[in-house]
Amino acid sequence: MEYFADFTWVKAIDMAGLVLGLIYLWLEFKASIWLWLVSVIMPIVHGYLYWARGLYADFGMEVYYVLAAIYGYAMWRWSRKSGAGEKAAERPITRFPLRQVLPVALIGLALWGIIYWILVTWTDSSVPVCDSFTTALSMVALWALAQKYAEQWLLWLVVDAVCTVLYIYKQIPFTACLYAFYTVMAVLGYRQWLKKIPASDN
């Protein structure tokens, strides 16, 4: 129980992030639009935590998360067109279009390179490769979530697995446990979302 021997705000926020993360995961699993509300609250909690532990790229991601949450809510709520006299419906879950795989992969690689350069040039990050990788892939995954693509879960699977190891290394165990749980749930979430795809889209 050495972790609790010297209890600090960082450790308290680590635990708060765990609770918020579980709520967010449940909402995402259910494909509930309310996940975007939690997406606005979580960055405040995790932002402080990441800055305190020198994960500067992850800290910068929290600003992106807030903006992406607003965009994601709008995409889920209003991007589905409805006919005359019909009530607007929520955006449906669909598959990731094959034509978008290459351009999105190239954008992800470019983001990785840019974020890595920023970290090694302007910060004292001790894990620039992993930090920049998870940040870049998270940006792509969050965009895919806003589009409501089922394969966004596969992107998060990779992010979560790498983050679990990274956060153990950075000694924030509650967040590491959360991401380990995320890794498992990413598989279950992907299967759950595939079941929700309209038969015509399959």
Side-chain angles (χ1 to χ4, degrees), residues 72-89:
Y73 177 83
M75 289 294 293
W76 282 33
R77 182 66 183 84
W78 293 300
S79 68
R80 180 85 182 272
K81 293 182 179 180
S82 56
E86 294 181 3
K87 183 180 179 181

Side-chain angles (χ1 to χ4, degrees), residues 138-184:
S138 292
M139 294 176 75
V140 174
L142 197 55
W143 169 82
L145 173 59
Q147 305 304 313
K148 224 168 184 178
Y149 294 147
E151 285 71 20
Q152 58 93 13
W153 284 104
L154 300 181
L155 299 176
W156 288 120
L157 175 63
V158 177
V159 172
D160 298 337
V162 175
C163 281
T164 299
V165 178
L166 181 59
Y167 296 156
I168 290 173
Y169 175 73
K170 282 295 184 176
Q171 298 181 8
I172 42 179
F174 279 98
T175 302
C177 289
L178 174 63
Y179 276 79
F181 183 61
Y182 277 175
T183 303
V184 175

